[in-house]
Every structure is written in structure tokens, then in C-alpha cells.
Amino acid sequence: MFRKILYGFRPTRTSQKLEQDPQFKKSRRQELLYNMGIYSAAFGLAWGAVPFYKLFCEHFGLDGNLEKKDYSMKGKKLDRFKKYAIDFKSEMDPEQNWEFHPVQHQVRVHAGETALVFYRAYNKNDKPIVGFSTYQVFPEDASLYFSKIQCFCFNQQLLNPQEELMLPIYFYLEPEIADDPVCKKIGQITIVYRFFKSRNQDLAKLAEQELKTVRKNKMILQRIRQKQQSGKIDENELKSIKSALISDEEIEQFDEWAYDNQ
């Protein structure tokens, strides 16, 4: 008995005959391949479970504990239910003789959700014209939270005779709009873009003032966020931050690049 355990069992004549049988060999080979296939499939499923789960969640909009693609929205509270109707309108300087109007007249977005819309500009003149645009947001309380990622405003636009140009606006509403008591009842926001002929030098001063307003709004938002880091802001504190005086020197010293890339 001990010799059998030590040296192993010798194959019997029956087992030797089976091993030499081609049909038996083929059956054993198929069984081996079948088992290897099962083990490989199990390993592949275990290894691919995480990436497949991430793809599934991203496709169907589930949370899945994934990092958000919109990095500017990290750490911000979003109202996922309320949608804002953003209306786009246009006005044109009669001297410019352009066609200028929005391609999309209205979009509906959540706070923090990015959107892309276009304006169409067409030069009806028989000579090149340089135009210059500004914009306004109504109601004015919502202008603080209207943020542009890409826009054609404050830039000179050259159009040759009978040339058409599609001008993009890539924007979003800052998530803090949902927490502002003044904006609680706002459900519709109107954006009006105006084009002027660039020969009017007074527009350069207007553009400078508009740019200052944009930078001032960013400074206010930065102060709101800094205050939120230390705790919840009540209505009086929010009013105080929004109504605080900001000098031109502070606006000039404001690091707008750091704000846009935080």
C-alpha cells in the first residue's frame, strides 16, 4: 500500500487501452478546451466588470460613483429638476445694414448644464464691414449667474460683401442661481445681443465697461464660494456680498485667468 502511494498507481490494461483510443483522446481534448474556455471567460468577466460598469453608467446617466466630466461643476450643489428657459434675441445698428438673428431662439437648461447656440450674421452691403457686439441679460438679477465659456461678444467681426458667418455662444448658468432667494421665481431669462458698426469709437468705452461688469460678477461669485466653504450663507449675507462696492483698481487686479481655470 505504501509503495503504491510512494510510486503511484500503475495504469491498468483498461486505462491503457482507453488512452490509446483516438475517440477517447478527442473527447479528452474537447473537455480540456471546454474547461479552459470557461476559466478564460470567468477571468475576462471579472477583469472587465469595472470598465463595463463605468460605460453602462455613463451611457444611461447613472451615478455609479464616477468622476463627473464637467470639472467646473465639482463640489457645487445642482438643482437637477428645475429647468430655465433661455431666450435669445438680437438688435442691429441700422447703419451697419447686416442681417443678424439667433439660429436657436430658445434652449432649456438646468443650472450648471452647458449649452451651445449660434447667431447668424450676414453682410448685405457691397463692401466689407467690421461689426462689434455687446449683450445684456434680463432680468438683471440673473446676469450674475450667466457665464460664457466661448462667445463672439466684445470682438470685432469682419464680414466681406454677401458673406455669412455663424457665431457661437457656449454658456451655462452658475449653480448658485438655484440658491439665490432673489432668483427663486426666475424661470425665463432673455439674452439680447446687439451689433454696432465699429467706426463708432464710443463703443470701445461701452465694451470696456461691459468687460468690467463681467469681471466684477466673477469676483462676487468667487466671494460667495469662499463664504460657502466656511458654512451656509443666509439671505442677509448674500445681499451684503452682492451689494458690496468693488473699486476699479480691485477689478484690474482680479486674476480672471485663475478664476476661469480653477
Side-chain angles (χ1 to χ4, degrees), residues 128-145:
I129 298 290
V130 175
F132 186 87
S133 68
T134 62
Y135 76 95
Q136 279 186 291
V137 180
F138 301 96
E140 291 186 4
D141 291 323
S143 62
L144 172 63
Y145 304 105

Side-chain angles (χ1 to χ4, degrees), residues 114-139:
T114 56
L116 176 65
V117 297
F118 289 89
Y119 274 76
R120 175 185 175 272
Y122 175 72
N123 183 9
K124 298 188 293 183
N125 299 278
D126 56 0
K127 60 181 180 180
I129 298 290
V130 175
F132 186 87
S133 68
T134 62
Y135 76 95
Q136 279 186 291
V137 180
F138 301 96

Side-chain angles (χ1 to χ4, degrees), residues 61-73:
L62 302 177
D63 187 79
N65 294 324
L66 301 175
E67 293 184 2
K68 305 300 180 184
K69 288 186 176 181
D70 190 358
Y71 298 107
S72 65
M73 296 302 108

Side-chain angles (χ1 to χ4, degrees), residues 77 79 82 84 111 139-146 174-187 217 220-221 224 228 232-243:
K77 182 181 177 183
D79 188 340
K82 182 176 180 178
Y84 297 84
E140 291 186 4
D141 291 323
S143 62
L144 172 63
Y145 304 105
F146 179 72
E174 296 284 356
E176 287 82 1
I177 190 173
D179 299 323
D180 190 336
V182 178
C183 299
K184 284 290 185 183
K185 295 183 179 180
I186 294 178
N217 287 344
I220 295 173
L221 282 169
I224 292 174
Q228 285 177 336
K232 188 175 180 181
I233 305 179
D234 59 33
E235 186 174 348
N236 292 330
E237 288 178 319
L238 184 61
K239 286 182 179 179
S240 176
I241 294 173
K242 290 167 65 176
S243 60

Side-chain angles (χ1 to χ4, degrees), residues 101-241:
H101 58 80
V103 178
Q104 295 88 5
H105 293 274
Q106 186 185 85
V107 295
R108 298 181 65 83
V109 296
H110 298 284
E113 178 184 0
T114 56
L116 176 65
V117 297
F118 289 89
Y119 274 76
R120 175 185 175 272
Y122 175 72
N123 183 9
K124 298 188 293 183
N125 299 278
D126 56 0
K127 60 181 180 180
I129 298 290
V130 175
F132 186 87
S133 68
T134 62
Y135 76 95
Q136 279 186 291
V137 180
F138 301 96
E140 291 186 4
D141 291 323
S143 62
L144 172 63
Y145 304 105
F146 179 72
S147 292
K148 306 179 303 301
I149 299 172
Q150 181 181 357
C151 182
F152 59 88
C153 53
F154 311 132
N155 294 322
Q156 291 187 340
Q157 305 290 338
L158 172 63
L159 284 182
N160 292 312
Q162 287 79 53
E163 182 182 8
E164 179 184 76
L165 188 63
M166 302 298 287
L167 304 169
I169 305 171
Y170 191 36
F171 74 96
Y172 65 95
L173 295 178
E174 296 284 356
E176 287 82 1
I177 190 173
D179 299 323
D180 190 336
V182 178
C183 299
K184 284 290 185 183
K185 295 183 179 180
I186 294 178
Q188 188 167 6
I189 299 171
T190 301
I191 316 295
V192 180
Y193 277 83
R194 297 180 176 89
F195 246 111
F196 301 90
K197 203 169 184 178
S198 292
R199 69 183 182 183
N200 188 347
Q201 294 302 313
D202 292 338
L203 294 175
K205 297 179 181 179
L206 175 61
E208 184 179 3
Q209 187 60 41
E210 291 289 341
L211 286 171
K212 282 185 179 180
T213 302
V214 171
R215 298 188 74 182
K216 180 181 177 182
N217 287 344
K218 290 183 178 181
M219 292 181 68
I220 295 173
L221 282 169
Q222 188 179 61
R223 293 178 181 181
I224 292 174
R225 290 168 184 170
Q226 288 173 348
K227 191 69 176 178
Q228 285 177 336
Q229 290 177 355
S230 59
K232 188 175 180 181
I233 305 179
D234 59 33
E235 186 174 348
N236 292 330
E237 288 178 319
L238 184 61
K239 286 182 179 179
S240 176
I241 294 173

